[in-house]
């Protein structure tokens, strides 16, 4: 059953008030997205270049659904990062629909949720408007991560629309804290998919 959630009701201010969530200011809180990252092999770079090519072919014929994003972009990335191997397992969550108002127009955005081993949440966005920012989906990702009953281990998240990627980290011990990575994109001339895969590999190694 699809839930209808008003975007303004799951903003960061709401989470800060309801869950006492704080943004971690210290850079050392979330080093997994930029420090000591695994190298990407030449063969992996070839695979990533093909992912970019396939995605750019698809965007020429919209709409681009979240199912297509999962098939063409996310699934091969997770495979290359080792998330389909032991000890990981994956399960799906219900799709969610967020409504946001932009200049008097209601924008409905589907978010598809995948969970890997209760420690890594993946939110895949199908936006009907290119102006819908990944930042608007981050609070929803944090809601799922906050609901994780595991208190003593950090949890991680990835929000993507197929072309752009943002990683998140959340800890719940004592005071709930979170941080987000820079935004990566495959739309640059030098695709940042290499960095995305390197972060994913780093997370799979740290979570295994």
């Amino acid at each position: 059953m699809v839930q209808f959630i008003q975007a303004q009701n799951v903003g960061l201010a709401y989470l800060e008030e309801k869950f006492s969530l704080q943004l971690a200011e210290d850079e050392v809180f979330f080093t997994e997205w930029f420090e000591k990252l695994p190298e990407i092999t030449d063969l992996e770079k070839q695979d990533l270049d093909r992912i970019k090519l396939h995605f750019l072919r698809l965007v020429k014929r919209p709409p681009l659904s979240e199912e297509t994003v999962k098939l063409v972009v996310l699934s091969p990335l997770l495979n290359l990062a080792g998330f389909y191997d032991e000890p990981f397992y994956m399960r799906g969550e219900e799709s969610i629909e967020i409504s946001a108002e932009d200049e008097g127009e209601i924008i409905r955005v589907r978010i598809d949720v995948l969970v890997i081993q209760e420690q890594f949440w993946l939110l895949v966005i199908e936006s009907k408007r290119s102006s819908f920012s990944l930042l608007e989906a981050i609070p929803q990702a944090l809601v799922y991560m906050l609901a994780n009953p595991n208190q003593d281990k950090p949890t991680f998240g990835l929000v993507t629309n197929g072309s752009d990627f943002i990683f998140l980290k959340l800890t719940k011990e004592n005071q709930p804290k979170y941080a987000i990575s820079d935004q990566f994109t495959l739309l640059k001339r030098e695709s940042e998919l290499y960095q995305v895969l390197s972060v994913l590999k780093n997370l799979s190694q740290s979570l295994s």
Side-chain angles (χ1 to χ4, degrees):
M1 179 178 179
V2 175
Q3 304 174 43
F4 290 87
I5 302 173
Q6 296 297 323
Q8 64 267 26
N9 291 338
V10 290
L12 291 174
Y14 172 83
L15 297 180
E16 290 169 359
E17 178 182 350
K18 185 172 180 62
F19 298 100
S20 300
L21 183 65
Q22 289 185 352
L23 176 65
E25 303 287 351
D26 194 338
E27 195 174 72
V28 301
F29 176 83
F30 189 14
T31 60
E32 289 88 350
W33 72 268
F34 65 85
E35 189 173 272
K36 298 179 181 178
L37 297 179
E39 292 291 330
I40 302 300
T41 67
D42 289 340
L43 187 58
E44 288 171 334
K45 289 179 180 179
Q46 293 176 22
D47 289 334
L48 294 169
D49 291 342
R50 280 194 293 271
I51 292 172
K52 176 181 178 179
L53 176 63
H54 295 162
F55 178 82
L56 293 178
R57 287 183 60 206
L58 286 169
V59 296
K60 294 178 181 179
R61 296 175 174 84
L64 187 64
S65 72
E66 83 282 358
E67 290 298 329
T68 305
V69 169
K70 286 193 295 184
L71 182 65
V72 175
V73 179
L74 192 56
S75 181
L77 278 174
L78 294 176
N79 184 38
L80 289 170
F83 279 114
Y84 289 154
D85 302 323
E86 293 289 346
F88 298 109
Y89 61 87
M90 184 180 298
R91 63 182 176 85
E93 291 285 327
E94 294 178 349
S95 294
I96 294 167
E97 190 164 305
I98 289 180
S99 298
E101 190 165 336
D102 181 19
E103 298 178 354
E105 180 181 357
I106 298 297
I107 305 169
R108 296 194 182 275
V109 181
R110 278 179 53 103
I111 297 180
D112 215 41
V113 183
L114 301 173
V115 185
I116 296 177
Q117 203 163 314
E118 308 300 333
Q119 285 187 267
F120 190 21
W121 271 251
L122 303 164
L123 275 71
V124 185
I125 300 171
E126 173 191 2
S127 179
K128 301 303 183 186
R129 285 279 299 272
S130 59
S131 61
F132 199 95
S133 169
L134 288 187
L135 294 174
E136 298 178 67
I138 285 175
Q140 187 63 49
L142 290 170
V143 167
Y144 276 97
M145 295 163 71
L146 282 164
N148 181 22
N150 194 331
Q151 299 282 337
D152 58 349
K153 293 182 179 180
T155 56
F156 299 90
L158 170 62
V159 180
T160 182
N161 58 7
S163 63
D164 300 289
F165 306 81
I166 294 178
F167 292 92
L168 304 91
K169 181 178 181 178
L170 174 77
T171 62
K172 295 173 65 178
E173 190 175 2
N174 299 324
Q175 176 81 42
K177 292 184 179 180
Y178 77 98
I180 66 174
S181 72
D182 287 350
Q183 181 165 316
F184 300 97
T185 181
L186 58 69
L187 298 178
K188 291 183 178 179
R189 180 175 298 178
E190 293 187 6
S191 172
E192 293 177 344
L193 273 182
Y194 297 173
Q195 293 98 311
V196 171
L197 177 58
S198 192
V199 177
L200 286 171
K201 290 176 69 174
N202 196 34
L203 292 177
S204 72
Q205 292 169 12
S206 64
L207 294 175
S208 61

